[in-house]
């Protein structure tokens, strides 16, 4: 099993369980996809034989789950440190471009609310990323499970909301790169041992140059239900498209239900429209997950719902920046503007959303994650 990974020198040292010491050379990528000037990244290149040993040759017993990128396996270092190995599937909707993209971004970004990348591997047609292991899996596995949701009280949900907001603020304004995530959703929020949130999956992320505020793509990729309307319909993305996704996620955390499929419930409306109408009628607290009845603080819940509605407004210009969101979450006295009508729910589904981010196989101009889309 892997026991030690070092990347302090040009030749990285890795130690095996039997005490054998080997040397590896850090991998350096030139990302020509994001922008013309290359982004160079140094990471330990971890031998495939070690990874196979650590995951019992990618056995089903070690498999943690599967996403759009491919399966994820649990392994561990000799000192007991657990790791998660993400393996690019040969049939994945995401390919080498997204794989390299994730390495480039996550290796350059460090924040307590971002998942940490330990190394990677390119051998024998395998493409593998090695991350710190998150023992509490992803947020969606708790939030959308009837039993597990009962254990996420108001204080914990508020901590998760704040952590996600701070992680996103770091990406947008405080990191070495100005990063637009483009696929923020419950399944891409991992939870550590103390249930602290960590943003993951940077395969679709993009950077902005200094002074750049938005960009356009003909290749729309992401997850319906979380996509801002200007991105889903026109391929236009900016920090405000991430803010929209955050707003959807915030409202999901509050009510314990998915935006996708919400219109099939007794409410007959999208989560966003339903939340807005309750707010207009002065009944916002009716949105709260019933399991929070004995733990929530009314003014905090009202403020969070209000902020969520500001984030999902149809016009991107009206949405706050993440720096403003963090300030609003921290303030008890700040006067918040009234939200406008939220964007119409895009790409609603009839089945439970898969925890994936894969491109559509439809040969149209826009490639998007979709599943059983209903006419609007």
């Amino acid at each position: 099993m892997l026991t030690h990974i070092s990347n302090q020198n040009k030749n990285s040292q890795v130690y095996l369980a039997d005490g054998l010491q080997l040397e590896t050379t850090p991998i350096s990528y030139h990302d020509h996809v994001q922008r013309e000037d290359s982004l160079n990244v140094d990471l330990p290149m971890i031998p495939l034989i070690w990874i196979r040993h650590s995951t019992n040759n990618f056995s089903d017993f070690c498999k943690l789950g599967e996403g759009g990128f491919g399966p994820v396996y649990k392994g561990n270092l000799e000192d007991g440190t657990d790791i998660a190995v993400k393996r690019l599937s040969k049939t994945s909707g995401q390919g080498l471009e997204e794989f390299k993209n994730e390495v480039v971004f996550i290796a350059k970004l460090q924040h307590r609310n971002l998942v940490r990348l330990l190394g990677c591997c390119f051998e024998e047609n395998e493409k593998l990323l090695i991350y710190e292991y998150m023992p509490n899996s992803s947020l969606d596995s708790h939030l959308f499970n009837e039993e597990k949701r009962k254990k996420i009280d108001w204080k914990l949900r508020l901590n998760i909301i704040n952590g996600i907001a701070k992680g996103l603020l770091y990406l947008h304004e405080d990191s070495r790169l100005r990063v637009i995530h483009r696929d923020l959703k419950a399944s891409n929020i991992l939870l550590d041992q103390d249930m602290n949130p960590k943003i993951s999956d940077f395969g679709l992320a993009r950077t902005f140059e200094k002074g750049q505020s938005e960009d356009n793509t003909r290749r729309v990729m992401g997850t319906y239900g979380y996509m801002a309307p200007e991105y889903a319909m026109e391929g236009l993305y900016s920090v405000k498209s991430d803010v929209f996704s955050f707003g959807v996620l915030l409202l999901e955390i509050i009510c314990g239900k998915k935006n996708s499929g919400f219109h099939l419930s007794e409410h007959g409306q999208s989560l966003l429209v339903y939340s807005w109408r309750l707010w207009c009628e002065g009944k916002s607290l009716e949105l709260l997950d019933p399991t929070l009845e004995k733990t929530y603080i009314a003014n905090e819940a009202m403020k969070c719902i209000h902020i969520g509605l500001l984030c999902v407004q149809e016009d991107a210009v009206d949405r706050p920046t993440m720096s403003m969101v963090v300030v609003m979450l921290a303030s008890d006295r700040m006067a918040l503007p009234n939200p406008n009508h939220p964007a119409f729910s895009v790409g609603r589904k009839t089945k439970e959303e898969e925890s994936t981010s894969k491109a559509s196989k439809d040969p149209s101009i826009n490639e998007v994650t979709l599943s059983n889309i209903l006419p609007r």
Side-chain angles (χ1 to χ4, degrees):
M1 296 182 182
L2 303 176
T3 61
H4 173 72
I5 301 174
S6 173
N7 192 32
Q8 297 177 352
N9 303 312
K10 189 64 178 177
N11 290 324
S12 298
Q13 295 181 337
V14 184
Y15 298 89
L16 298 182
D18 58 6
L20 177 64
Q21 177 179 328
L22 298 177
E23 291 186 341
T24 63
T25 301
I27 185 169
S28 180
Y29 291 120
H30 295 281
D31 180 21
H32 61 279
V33 176
Q34 305 306 318
R35 55 188 191 183
E36 293 181 0
D37 55 316
S38 297
L39 296 174
N40 298 323
V41 177
D42 288 331
L43 277 173
M45 176 70 92
I46 303 176
L48 179 60
I49 187 173
W50 305 343
I51 300 174
R52 281 179 171 161
H53 185 56
S54 179
T55 60
N56 195 21
N57 198 25
F58 303 111
S59 70
D60 288 340
F61 179 77
C62 294
K63 190 174 180 180
L64 295 171
E66 185 127 11
F69 193 97
V72 181
Y73 300 88
K74 182 181 179 182
N76 64 282
L77 310 184
E78 189 184 38
D79 64 3
T81 302
D82 292 324
I83 58 173
V85 180
K86 184 184 286 190
R87 186 186 194 188
L88 178 66
S89 170
K90 294 178 176 59
T91 60
S92 171
Q94 295 184 25
L96 182 59
E97 177 183 327
E98 284 76 27
F99 178 89
K100 288 184 177 181
N101 199 56
E102 175 142 354
V103 175
V104 166
F105 285 116
I106 199 64
K108 282 181 171 284
L109 303 172
Q110 293 186 1
H111 188 273
R112 70 186 303 270
N113 295 117
L114 302 184
V115 70
R116 187 162 59 98
L117 179 64
L118 303 177
C120 54
C121 175
F122 282 121
E123 279 188 54
E124 300 179 16
N125 294 320
E126 291 281 5
K127 301 174 184 66
L128 304 158
L129 299 179
I130 292 79
Y131 289 93
E132 59 177 333
Y133 173 67
M134 295 288 104
N136 282 308
S137 189
S138 55
L139 176 59
D140 66 323
S141 67
H142 294 266
L143 192 60
F144 306 133
N145 179 286
E146 289 294 334
E147 291 303 316
K148 290 184 179 180
R149 191 169 71 247
K150 296 176 183 177
K151 299 179 182 179
I152 314 179
D153 62 14
W154 174 250
K155 182 178 180 181
L156 183 52
R157 295 195 199 197
L158 194 56
N159 180 67
I160 291 173
I161 290 170
N162 277 292
I164 298 170
K166 291 174 181 177
L168 204 52
L169 170 60
Y170 169 80
L171 293 178
H172 289 178
E173 299 184 24
D174 299 331
S175 65
R176 295 166 60 187
L177 309 171
R178 190 178 191 191
V179 179
I180 314 301
H181 189 279
R182 292 207 306 165
D183 200 19
L184 190 72
K185 57 181 178 179
S187 60
N188 282 341
I189 304 300
L190 302 183
L191 302 169
D192 69 11
Q193 185 174 356
D194 299 316
M195 296 294 282
N196 292 308
K198 293 179 182 282
I199 300 172
S200 70
D201 199 339
F202 287 78
L204 303 183
R206 293 291 182 265
T207 57
F208 277 172
E209 302 288 351
K210 184 176 182 181
Q212 184 181 9
S213 61
E214 64 182 26
D215 202 354
N216 189 275
T217 180
R218 290 167 60 89
R219 190 167 180 243
V220 175
M221 299 177 70
T223 305
Y224 276 140
Y226 293 93
M227 283 186 185
E230 69 275 7
Y231 177 57
M233 300 302 185
E234 304 173 34
L236 188 66
Y237 63 91
S238 66
V239 293
K240 295 298 186 73
S241 49
D242 273 356
V243 170
F244 181 91
S245 301
F246 172 79
V248 175
L249 184 54
L250 188 158
L251 293 174
E252 288 183 332
I253 293 172
I254 292 290
C255 73
K257 294 182 180 179
K258 295 182 181 181
N259 182 35
S260 58
F262 189 87
H263 70 290
L264 296 177
S265 67
E266 66 274 15
H267 306 298
Q269 304 165 357
S270 74
L271 172 59
L272 309 188
V273 172
Y274 179 67
S275 302
W276 183 74
R277 288 183 177 173
L278 285 179
W279 184 86
C280 290
E281 296 170 1
K283 302 177 181 178
S284 285
L285 293 181
E286 292 184 14
L287 182 67
L288 265 69
D289 183 346
T291 65
L292 296 174
E293 185 177 0
K294 296 181 180 179
T295 65
Y296 79 89
I297 299 174
N299 64 324
E300 290 181 346
M302 290 284 290
K303 179 178 67 176
C304 284
I305 294 170
H306 196 155
I307 293 171
L309 289 171
L310 289 173
C311 291
V312 298
Q313 293 177 100
E314 185 167 13
D315 193 336
V317 175
D318 295 332
R319 299 171 207 152
T321 60
M322 287 311 302
S323 58
M324 184 58 66
V325 168
V326 170
V327 169
M328 290 189 292
L329 285 170
S331 175
D332 292 329
R333 299 181 179 179
M334 186 175 181
L336 306 183
N338 291 334
N340 295 316
H341 195 287
F344 193 88
S345 184
V346 179
R348 298 169 295 180
K349 302 180 183 179
T350 58
K351 293 183 179 180
E352 287 194 6
E353 178 198 10
E354 299 174 352
S355 297
T356 61
S357 296
K358 56 187 177 181
S360 167
K361 295 182 180 179
D362 190 300
S364 60
I365 291 177
N366 288 338
E367 296 179 27
V368 290
T369 302
L370 50 84
S371 173
N372 294 332
I373 308 302
L374 293 178
R376 295 190 294 173

